[in-house]
Amino acid sequence: MTAIEYLKANQVFHIATVDGTKARVRPFGFSMNRNGAIYFCTNKTKDVYKQLSSNPEIEISVMGSDMTWLRVRGRIAFDESRDAKVQAFAESANLLKVYPKGADDETFVTFYFTEATATLFSFTAAPKTISLV
């Protein structure tokens, strides 16, 4: 199993960012594989966007129904290309409920891991590094 497969199988995950000297965590639900990288999306008016812009180091965590959990730690970059936005809306029609202008919404932005390590954990086995995509 790859990290993106695990994220797709367990829809709600949490992204941790840094706000000054404080950790901040919030739930996310969208991920996609684009050009061999894991992509996410957010809104440019949100605090998470400001935090990611100031410090692109993040960690995500998600727990599976089988009592395993995944952590992906790494560095992100923004992709403001229309192609990335179009793919995001094609993969998740639910995004249109929040962004009715679709790929033409100027506040909508995608971001992706430029470098990352994905580790799968379990209560019964040693941690295992897995592929991102």
Side-chain angles (χ1 to χ4, degrees):
M1 172 167 288
T2 65
I4 190 69
E5 289 170 338
Y6 196 93
L7 287 168
K8 294 291 191 181
N10 303 284
Q11 282 281 285
V12 178
F13 54 94
H14 292 82
I15 293 184
T17 60
V18 178
D19 183 12
T21 61
K22 308 281 186 198
R24 297 287 183 241
V25 179
R26 78 268 297 147
F28 270 64
F30 174 82
S31 62
M32 72 178 179
N33 177 354
R34 177 171 170 74
N35 300 328
I38 300 176
Y39 270 64
F40 311 97
C41 64
T42 193
N43 185 313
K44 291 182 181 180
T45 65
K46 291 186 174 186
D47 287 342
V48 66
Y49 175 78
K50 294 172 190 134
Q51 293 157 13
L52 293 169
S53 295
S54 295
N55 184 345
E57 298 289 334
I58 68 168
E59 184 169 84
I60 66 170
S61 180
V62 59
M63 184 147 200
S65 60
D66 63 354
M67 300 303 287
T68 62
W69 65 97
L70 174 71
R71 288 187 195 158
V72 184
R73 178 181 299 154
R75 187 173 188 82
I76 63 96
F78 292 100
D79 181 347
E80 298 198 41
S81 72
R82 190 166 201 297
D83 287 346
K85 292 179 180 185
V86 166
Q87 182 179 343
F89 285 98
E91 291 199 19
S92 179
N94 285 335
L95 288 172
L96 287 169
K97 293 176 185 174
V98 181
Y99 304 97
K101 293 181 184 176
D104 295 321
D105 191 313
E106 293 181 14
T107 64
F108 180 81
V109 65
T110 63
F111 61 98
Y112 63 98
F113 279 116
T114 58
E115 54 189 70
T117 302
T119 308
L120 190 60
F121 295 86
S122 167
F123 290 112
T124 59
K128 179 172 96 174
T129 301
I130 62 173
S131 171
L132 293 174
V133 293

